[in-house]
Amino acid sequence: MKKYIAELVGTFWLVLGGCGSAVLAAAFPDVGIGLLGVSLAFGLTVLTMAYAIGHISGCHLNPAVSIGLWAGGRFPASDLLPYIVAQVIGGLAAGGVLFVIASGAVGFDVSSGFASNGFGAHSPGGYSLTAALVCEVVMTMMFLFVIMGSTDSRAPAGLAPIAIGLCLTLIHLISIPVTNTSVNPARSTGVALYVGDWAVSQLWLFWVAPIVGAVIGAVIYRFVASGDE
């Protein structure tokens, strides 16, 4: 139970820190942090939580990561469902806290996006469904490859959180204009349910693509590393 609670708290921090930076600070008058700031915020949430709870739960914070680590032979199937449930609950709790904070500002309109992921008319750059699908699959694939490699027993000890946090930062720098960057179904669900409407109708992509990408990335790493392990 403690590791499930750790995953809930960790995912709460990821969604609150990452999506909170996008909703509250990205375009704040005159001193907004912009896309670079939002990218760093997501990376920092993972980096800080990896050091805080990595030794308790492994710090997945992401259903796609849990499924990918299972596909890579690093995680038991028996823990998949409770991890995913904890992660989604953590994401929804963060979305609720963020909604309360954001709605305290005059003119707040949740239907304008609320850091939700989308494609087509709801992509920040107007990217198509195909572009969004490819982007999310490839970004999550590389994310799992880095996670698997940096947490390998032969990798430098203690540096995995830095590699993983910087990787997530880079992923956001690349893909925020395409989908607002998901690579994490819990992150997407945590804000989409408060928006409803189009955000919920497009949510399927941000479950399917990250999971497919995570499995591909984990399997590739497992193949590459299998000769040495």
Side-chain angles (χ1 to χ4, degrees):
M1 182 58 67
K2 290 179 180 178
K3 60 187 178 184
Y4 305 146
I5 294 174
E7 282 295 304
L8 189 156
V9 172
T11 310
F12 174 89
W13 183 233
L14 183 148
V15 175
L16 183 62
C19 294
S21 70
V23 172
L24 304 175
F28 189 77
D30 301 326
V31 290
I33 62 175
L35 300 188
L36 176 59
V38 173
S39 300
L40 285 170
F42 272 101
L44 288 172
T45 61
V46 171
L47 189 155
T48 52
M49 270 299 151
Y51 280 117
I53 65 169
H55 54 287
I56 300 173
S57 68
C59 191
H60 297 185
L61 318 185
N62 182 339
V65 168
S66 296
I67 293 172
L69 290 175
W70 163 77
R74 299 274 190 88
F75 191 66
S78 59
D79 274 342
L80 274 179
L81 183 58
Y83 261 57
I84 292 171
V85 170
Q87 291 156 359
V88 171
I89 291 174
L92 288 170
V97 170
L98 180 57
F99 182 85
V100 171
I101 295 171
S103 61
V106 176
F108 170 70
D109 180 12
V110 71
S111 66
S112 64
F114 198 52
S116 290
N117 303 112
F119 54 85
H122 302 291
S123 157
Y127 287 84
S128 68
L129 167 60
T130 301
L133 177 64
V134 171
C135 185
E136 288 291 326
V137 168
V138 173
M139 293 299 135
T140 318
M141 177 186 75
M142 294 309 302
F143 193 34
L144 259 291
F145 194 89
V146 170
I147 290 172
M148 293 280 288
S150 61
T151 56
D152 193 300
S153 60
R154 297 159 297 171
L159 298 181
I162 297 173
I164 295 168
L166 289 176
C167 181
L168 189 60
T169 298
L170 177 58
I171 286 169
H172 279 78
L173 288 173
I174 296 168
S175 60
I176 286 179
V178 183
T179 62
N180 237 0
T181 308
S182 170
V183 302
N184 184 340
R187 169 262 187 268
S188 298
T189 304
V191 290
L193 294 191
Y194 293 92
V195 177
D197 193 26
W198 64 266
V200 172
S201 68
Q202 294 191 353
L203 185 59
W204 65 270
L205 177 71
F206 304 104
W207 275 85
V208 173
I211 289 173
V212 169
V215 170
I216 294 172
V219 169
I220 291 174
Y221 184 82
R222 190 174 185 179
F223 172 74
V224 169
S226 61
D228 297 324
E229 286 186 298

